[in-house]
Amino acid sequence: MTNAIGAEPGIGSLAHANDPKLVRALTAAQLYYLQDLTMDAIARELHTSRSSVSRLISHARETGLVDIRIHSPLEKGAAIEKQIRDRFGVAAHVVPVGPDVSEVDRLERVSMTAARLISQFVDSNMAIGVAWGSTIGAISRHLPARDTHGTTVVQLNGAGNTQTSGIEYASEILLRFGQAFNARVQQFPVPAFFDDPATKQAMWRERSTRRVLGIQDRIDIAIFGLGSPLAEVPSRVYVGGYLEQADYRSLREDGAVGDVATVFFRADGTWKDIAMNARGTGPGIDRLRRVPRRVCVVSGTPKLPAVRGALAARVITDLVLDEELARHLVA
């Protein structure tokens, strides 16, 4: 089987002429990927060491100067992606991961692929909605730098609970997205769940809250994982002190199988009459459906019920998942 690897060095304004390291990284990448020179040959040409060349090429990949794609006509993932597209009407991106890989490593690999894909989706003058969580936190650590202008990153759901404000955790994720895309960051400093639905309704009438809700209503791309109480890598909403025993009991009685941005849904995609959603601060699924591109990133077969429920709710346009989960989804 032959894999074709394409490299595209020199993307846009990333190669600032006043950044010597970036210029040298670009030169090394062009010599390595476009002229097929060995690292030893590049080292002689740049009058440096082979290890320095290796670091420059790595820097070129990490900063987005180089975008590597692998195209294989024999790849199993491509057939599964087509099955998912034909059956569910979404663009699938299947990440090859062996069955013996731990759930932590599986999440990391899927997140790395998702981060590079998201970087391709984002452009200048976009509003990006980000839902905090374990998966999005992993993605934020792998985002390649892409210089945009007029871009805004907005938090989709509150992160506070009775133990913490959640600002530190959520803001760290938002900050990484903002730094990756040179974007302005808008936090949403409200609880993940209000104690009383009436309190939420009152808060939603405040002008400061309406301003953030207005930004959320104008986003071009939403990025989220799927919460599930069954996952081996626990969804933060289920282990971070956000839910009490009465909440779990209420979710079981309402038949919830997962959540997106702390909005719970059932296996058939219904969600409006789930009691917890009256207290949650995430955007309703009907609001999310209006977003042009909705990227869902998920890993691990325990999340299969949540994936099926989210697909039934028609909340996904782009689905990034590991190969084992994808096989179960189309089985």
Side-chain angles (χ1 to χ4, degrees):
M1 180 173 68
T2 301
N3 288 333
I5 301 180
E8 301 172 0
I11 299 175
S13 59
L14 279 171
H16 298 294
N18 59 355
D19 187 338
K21 182 177 181 180
L22 210 59
V23 171
R24 285 174 64 81
L26 176 59
T27 301
Q30 289 172 327
L31 294 173
Y32 185 73
Y33 289 108
L34 300 183
Q35 299 184 29
D36 290 331
L37 294 186
T38 65
M39 289 194 183
D40 289 329
I42 297 171
R44 289 193 297 272
E45 184 161 332
L46 298 183
H47 305 289
T48 188
S49 65
R50 189 182 188 280
S51 60
S52 295
V53 172
S54 178
R55 287 193 293 271
L56 286 171
I57 292 173
S58 295
H59 185 64
R61 290 197 299 266
E62 292 166 359
T63 54
L65 290 173
V66 173
D67 179 22
I68 299 176
R69 297 181 177 89
I70 299 177
H71 306 282
S72 170
L74 304 179
E75 192 173 352
K76 293 182 294 183
I80 301 176
E81 289 174 352
K82 183 178 185 303
Q83 290 181 59
I84 294 174
R85 182 176 65 250
D86 292 344
R87 185 180 301 184
F88 301 106
V90 302
H93 309 271
V94 175
V95 181
V97 181
D100 298 327
V101 174
S102 72
E103 291 303 317
V104 173
D105 288 340
R106 186 182 303 272
L107 171 62
E108 284 296 307
R109 294 191 194 182
V110 171
S111 297
M112 289 177 66
T113 298
R116 295 186 180 278
L117 186 68
I118 288 166
S119 182
Q120 297 173 25
F121 291 159
V122 172
D123 210 340
S124 294
N125 302 312
M126 274 190 170
I128 308 164
V130 176
W132 57 265
S134 301
T135 299
I136 305 305
I139 292 170
S140 70
R141 294 192 295 270
H142 297 294
L143 286 168
R146 178 165 186 180
D147 199 9
T148 68
H149 61 269
T151 304
T152 300
V153 176
V154 61
Q155 182 178 339
L156 286 180
N157 51 316
N161 60 26
T162 57
Q163 301 176 20
T164 173
S165 68
I167 291 175
E168 181 178 352
Y169 172 70
S171 64
E172 185 177 357
I173 295 174
L174 293 170
L175 179 63
R176 292 188 190 123
F177 272 86
Q179 290 174 335
F181 302 120
N182 192 28
R184 182 172 66 94
V185 171
Q186 175 60 64
Q187 295 183 348
F188 193 27
V190 297
F193 302 98
F194 285 97
D195 290 336
D196 188 335
T199 309
K200 171 185 171 180
Q201 294 169 10
M203 189 69 178
W204 260 223
R205 291 194 294 269
E206 292 292 321
R207 284 181 296 172
S208 59
T209 305
R210 292 207 310 267
R211 182 181 64 83
V212 180
L213 294 173
I215 299 174
Q216 292 177 358
D217 283 336
R218 298 191 299 272
I219 61 175
D220 302 284
I221 178 172
I223 303 167
F224 51 87
L226 293 179
S228 169
L230 305 174
E232 286 188 35
V233 179
S235 303
R236 194 169 182 91
V237 71
Y238 297 97
V239 296
Y242 292 93
L243 300 175
E244 299 179 353
Q245 289 302 317
D247 299 327
Y248 283 108
R249 184 166 55 252
S250 174
L251 291 171
R252 285 195 300 270
E253 292 172 352
D254 284 338
V257 297
D259 76 278
V260 50
T262 60
V263 175
F264 298 94
F265 52 82
R266 299 184 181 91
D268 62 0
T270 56
W271 62 277
K272 286 187 177 181
D273 59 340
I274 293 178
M276 282 292 296
N277 289 340
R279 296 165 42 206
T281 54
I285 287 176
D286 51 354
R287 288 176 64 202
L288 274 178
R289 286 179 188 147
R290 295 197 292 267
V291 180
R293 171 162 266 153
R294 307 179 298 276
V295 183
C296 175
V297 184
V298 62
S299 68
T301 54
K303 288 197 174 182
L304 180 60
V307 176
R308 286 176 170 160
L311 288 168
R314 295 183 291 110
V315 75
I316 301 170
T317 62
D318 293 81
L319 178 61
V320 186
L321 72 171
D322 64 271
E323 186 176 342
E324 188 174 11
L325 175 56
R327 286 201 307 268
H328 281 79
L329 181 60
V330 299

